[in-house]
Amino acid sequence: MRWMLLVALLPLAAVAETDMKFAYYRDQAQALDDGGLAAFLDAYIGACRGFFDGQRCVDKAQRFRDQHTGKKLWSVIREGDADNLRMAEFNPQTNEYTLLITPVFADGGHYLTDGKPERVDERGAPLFRVLAVPVRAPGGLTPMQVSRMYSDKLLRVQFVFSPLEVWSLERGGKPIFGVASRLHAVLVTVGATGERIGAWYEPAPPKPSGGKKKPKQ
């Protein structure tokens, strides 16, 4: 019965997840292959530490990086796995609050990050400033209900990024690896319905100055 309900909701989700600005970024990007973010990170980092790993493994990872570095890619963290979202400063009078996105996407034991981290937090995760997005809660929901969407991991995250380089840090005396990237856009929706919660976009680059106008003769 639950499966039939999810199938019935799919057309609604497809419509609700349409965000014109995010769609612009997504349509410029290449979707990750089967295996998603975990497979991409493993191939990009190149875990060549086994007994039978050798130069062939190193060369394969380098070829993969050469093919993907700087390219715009699109990935999804599905509900149940999105643990980099929080809410803050809920105003019950206006139903507005701040969506906090930590630009660290973990999958398969590796990390994708916006830029290169310098240290880890007390939990051993790469430490970054959060991205703050002002949003309005769906009508009729109480602060407690909105909070449960985050604590129960009911939200889905789509993001567009360009990988740049591999990084490593120490956690508990052991190395952890990740891929530093440029994050272009992030869209957060309700996983079951596709309802838009909020979105973050990279700042627009500064416009070049036109220079001084020549005085009229």
Side-chain angles (χ1 to χ4, degrees):
M1 185 67 181
R2 183 181 178 187
W3 173 251
M4 293 175 65
L5 177 62
L6 289 175
V7 171
L9 286 173
L10 284 178
L12 173 63
V15 173
E17 285 189 355
T18 300
D19 179 287
M20 298 306 294
K21 189 171 183 179
F22 184 82
Y24 170 79
Y25 281 92
R26 182 193 61 203
D27 292 346
Q28 291 183 331
Q30 173 185 328
L32 294 186
D33 295 331
D34 292 343
L37 185 60
F40 169 81
L41 293 175
D42 191 56
Y44 196 95
I45 293 169
C48 303
R49 299 185 298 273
F51 179 79
F52 295 103
D53 291 337
Q55 191 60 43
R56 180 181 297 180
C57 175
V58 174
D59 293 343
K60 181 179 179 181
Q62 185 59 58
R63 286 195 301 271
F64 189 86
R65 288 193 289 268
D66 291 342
Q67 293 168 0
H68 292 86
T69 297
K71 290 186 63 175
K72 285 186 178 179
L73 304 172
W74 167 52
S75 186
V76 179
I77 302 294
R78 298 190 178 277
E79 56 275 20
D81 295 324
D83 57 1
N84 61 337
L85 306 174
R86 291 185 292 122
M87 61 167 288
E89 302 173 350
F90 195 101
N91 185 336
Q93 295 181 338
T94 63
N95 246 27
E96 296 174 331
Y97 66 95
T98 302
L99 164 62
L100 301 176
I101 306 171
T102 302
V104 177
F105 304 89
D107 205 352
H110 300 312
Y111 299 89
L112 178 83
T113 57
D114 182 30
K116 186 177 180 179
E118 299 297 331
R119 57 195 177 97
V120 297
D121 62 16
E122 65 276 3
R123 296 179 296 113
L127 191 62
F128 278 89
R129 65 177 179 85
V130 297
L131 309 176
V133 179
V135 301
R136 184 185 296 274
L141 294 185
T142 66
M144 181 66 69
Q145 289 172 319
V146 175
S147 178
R148 285 193 62 183
M149 290 196 306
Y150 291 84
S151 61
D152 293 348
K153 298 182 181 180
L154 303 180
L155 303 178
R156 180 179 299 185
V157 184
Q158 301 181 57
F159 55 102
V160 177
F161 66 99
S162 296
L164 301 175
E165 62 176 313
V166 176
W167 58 259
S168 65
L169 289 172
E170 277 201 8
R171 178 175 63 193
K174 296 181 179 181
I176 61 172
F177 296 92
V179 175
S181 70
R182 176 182 173 186
L183 193 60
H184 301 290
V186 182
L187 175 65
V188 179
T189 59
V190 178
T193 65
E195 182 176 3
R196 183 186 188 277
I197 295 297
W200 176 90
Y201 299 99
E202 61 185 339
K207 295 181 179 180
S209 59
K212 295 182 178 180
K213 294 184 179 179
K214 294 182 179 181
K216 294 182 178 180
Q217 297 293 333

